[in-house]
Amino acid sequence: MTETRAATAATEGRGHLAATHLLVAICCGILTGFAELSIMWVRETAFGRMAFGSRHMLWMTPLTYAMVFGFLGFGVVAADYDSDGWIDIYVANDGDPNQLWLNNGDGTFRNEALWAGAAINSAGKAEASMGVDADDFDEDGDDDIFMTHIMEETNTLFVNDGGGLLILTDWTFFGDTLDPVAAEFGMIRNTTHAYLYDTDDGLGGASSAIFYNGANIETHPTTVGVNSIYIDRGTGIINLGGGTALVTTDNDGTSHWNNDSTGLWPADAIPVIGAKSYGLGRLIYLPDVNFVTQSIFEDEDNELFLVNAFEWLSENRAPIVELTYPNGGETVNNNVTITWNAFEPNKDLILGFDLFYSNDSGSSWYPIILGTLGNSFEWNTTQVPNGDDYLIRIVAHDYELFGTDDSDAVFTIDNPIPLPPPIPPILWWIIAIVVIIIFVIVLIYLFILRPRSAASK
């Protein structure tokens, strides 16, 4: 969440507040389960009432909360802060870090306030949080959080947004301090040995000051134009948590771990810098705290990498949309419900969806509807010819960017050929009357007019 701090601000119920200062943070998941949903019993204690489930506490009064968690909770507001369809709980604590309990959807919660940037203020201090409320302050489709504090402190607005995080760590005590943070994103560095050592790419030969270039640097937005990276006494990553390696050690037997006391250990193809997307945010994990202070900047591309990294971390990303039906191979007719899923990485408001169809495998496209909302639209296929080469394209657009997705393969539209409309009964009567009249005219001619004409001759 982003924090907005106002020196004086008041709210009645749910309102929109003036923003004066922004601080970007990132959200990740941590800690353990908190509660189960089924209440088994309620018990009075010396500190207030406590409700229990089969194994876990469910709710409690502020004094009981303080005894259990060590914090004095003065305000609670429930809302779906991560937009996953489950109600979450935010607790405002008096003088201690606040807590954001995100609902796992299985009857348990996890506290993510610290990593969401909603535990303390931008100065790194816990305040005397009292009144708290949630509402969509910036009208981007999610609930933000506003809190009031005592007179000597500021009131705080946490704006619910994604963000980016660059973790600089090391194999020394810096790593010990930041390891728990990186681990919450699934990024794990090697703590068995010390720093990395290279026998042919080190500074001046065998050294822990290593140049990484060529095959060491992976293709990624952060490495555009980066030809060489210099890292001194860096460590490696043994688990990327589903992320991507940006820089790796050599895979030719020249890279090693140097743990000082027991010599060198092989360290082939070890990730040195990693990156991943996490929820609404992005993360870069770089286990070398000296990376940004190297005096060799003028010879290497460390600085360019950092510029690229911050651009990637803060990049405005287009909406992500996935067409789910029809997605290829189907045979449809009459009214068809087109369905899709959409996600906005920046939590901007998706302004609408445009739908198009192609009847020639994508060579040409024609509009179905523009600016529709929701996740489905009913399309009358009888308005287009039958065919075997149909595709659907959906375009999601926000204020600046758009995302698109097409059917994975062609599908068939096969509407039955319509029969001619039935003749209405009144028309049958008219036809019958006309036939009778014609029949009478023929009889008159044959038996009356024609004999008279013959007699006159």
Side-chain angles (χ1 to χ4, degrees):
M1 288 187 176
T2 300
E3 180 195 335
T4 299
R5 302 180 65 196
T8 57
T11 181
E12 293 182 2
R14 298 186 174 187
H16 293 167
L17 309 173
T20 59
H21 176 69
L22 299 179
L23 174 68
V24 175
I26 195 167
C27 178
C28 76
I30 70 166
L31 299 184
T32 59
F34 166 64
E36 291 188 351
L37 295 181
S38 57
I39 295 178
M40 301 298 292
W41 68 87
V42 177
R43 188 178 72 189
E44 294 287 342
T45 72
F47 305 99
R49 290 176 298 168
M50 302 170 65
F52 290 83
S54 57
R55 291 189 303 275
H56 301 290
M57 187 175 297
L58 295 173
W59 57 264
M60 61 207 73
T61 59
L63 284 177
T64 306
Y65 188 88
M67 294 300 297
V68 174
F69 293 103
F71 301 149
L72 188 59
F74 266 32
V76 178
V77 60
D80 184 8
Y81 297 111
D82 55 358
S83 302
D84 65 351
W86 296 92
I87 295 299
D88 312 304
I89 302 171
Y90 186 82
V91 181
N93 294 314
D94 181 11
D96 290 299
N98 299 324
Q99 293 161 311
L100 175 61
W101 296 101
L102 293 186
N103 196 329
N104 294 320
D106 60 359
T108 64
F109 292 74
R110 64 192 186 278
N111 179 17
E112 295 198 0
L114 181 61
W115 314 120
I120 53 181
N121 66 18
S122 60
K125 296 180 179 179
E127 297 181 295
S129 301
M130 303 287 180
V132 60
D133 200 2
D135 196 7
D136 187 6
F137 158 77
D138 51 359
E139 298 182 345
D140 65 349
D142 54 44
D143 282 325
D144 312 300
I145 299 171
F146 177 71
M147 281 177 299
T148 58
H149 303 100
I150 59 178
M151 293 181 61
E152 293 81 7
E153 299 175 339
T154 61
N155 297 327
T156 304
L157 173 65
F158 289 115
V159 180
N160 193 351
D161 282 320
L165 181 62
L166 171 63
I167 298 180
L168 290 171
T169 181
D170 217 320
W171 62 277
T172 60
F173 64 90
F174 293 108
D176 297 336
T177 301
L178 291 177
D179 282 347
V181 177
E184 296 305 332
F185 298 96
M187 295 282 197
I188 309 295
R189 71 179 181 91
N190 190 332
T191 58
T192 304
H193 306 295
Y195 49 86
L196 288 166
Y197 192 92
D198 197 286
T199 57
D200 65 354
D201 290 326
L203 183 63
S207 174
S208 62
I210 305 171
F211 294 96
Y212 295 100
N213 49 44
N216 301 107
I217 300 175
E218 304 296 330
T219 301
H220 190 267
T222 59
T223 59
V224 174
V226 176
N227 299 310
S228 182
I229 290 286
Y230 173 73
I231 296 179
D232 184 17
R233 288 204 169 193
T235 185
I237 306 170
I238 59 174
N239 192 335
L240 290 167
T244 301
L246 303 181
V247 178
T248 58
T249 64
D250 287 342
N251 195 25
D252 58 3
T254 61
S255 182
H256 302 83
W257 295 104
N258 182 1
N259 69 351
D260 294 332
S261 60
T262 58
L264 301 179
W265 294 75
D268 288 339
I270 298 296
V272 179
I273 305 177
K276 70 179 297 186
S277 296
Y278 191 99
L280 298 177
R282 288 175 171 178
L283 166 74
I284 293 178
Y285 186 39
L286 203 165
D288 173 24
V289 75
N290 297 318
F291 186 87
V292 297
T293 62
Q294 304 294 350
S295 60
I296 202 167
F297 267 172
E298 62 271 16
D299 297 323
E300 304 306 319
D301 294 324
N302 291 33
E303 192 173 28
L304 177 58
F305 173 83
L306 288 174
V307 171
N308 291 344
F310 283 111
E311 287 183 355
W312 182 74
L313 290 172
S314 60
E315 180 184 19
N316 183 24
R317 288 172 283 167
I320 299 171
V321 62
E322 178 187 17
L323 183 73
T324 54
Y325 187 87
N327 202 30
E330 302 92 347
T331 297
V332 300
N333 53 52
N334 298 318
N335 289 337
V336 174
T337 301
I338 303 171
T339 60
W340 61 88
N341 296 319
F343 173 68
E344 171 51 68
N346 305 301
K347 304 203 82 172
D348 294 331
L349 180 65
I350 295 181
L351 299 181
F353 301 93
D354 302 333
L355 287 171
F356 302 86
Y357 76 89
S358 172
N359 57 9
D360 54 10
S361 301
S363 296
S364 54
W365 294 93
Y366 308 96
I368 298 175
I369 188 170
L370 304 179
T372 188
L373 299 174
N375 294 94
S376 64
F377 179 79
E378 190 170 280
W379 179 36
N380 183 2
T381 64
T382 62
Q383 298 176 347
V384 297
N386 288 342
D388 300 326
D389 298 312
Y390 275 88
L391 295 170
I392 295 293
R393 169 172 292 173
I394 183 165
V395 180
H397 46 91
D398 59 18
Y399 295 96
E400 298 181 45
L401 306 174
F402 65 90
T404 184
D405 189 36
D406 296 346
S407 302
D408 291 343
V410 296
F411 62 93
T412 298
I413 292 180
D414 185 17
N415 285 302
I417 299 175
L419 297 174
I423 299 176
I426 186 65
L427 185 57
W428 284 115
W429 281 107
I430 293 173
I431 293 173
I433 292 171
V434 170
V435 170
I436 292 172
I437 292 173
I438 293 174
F439 182 72
V440 170
I441 292 174
V442 170
L443 291 178
I444 292 173
Y445 173 76
L446 292 176
F447 295 102
I448 299 176
L449 297 179
R450 185 177 180 185
R452 287 180 181 178
S453 176
S456 64
K457 293 179 180 180

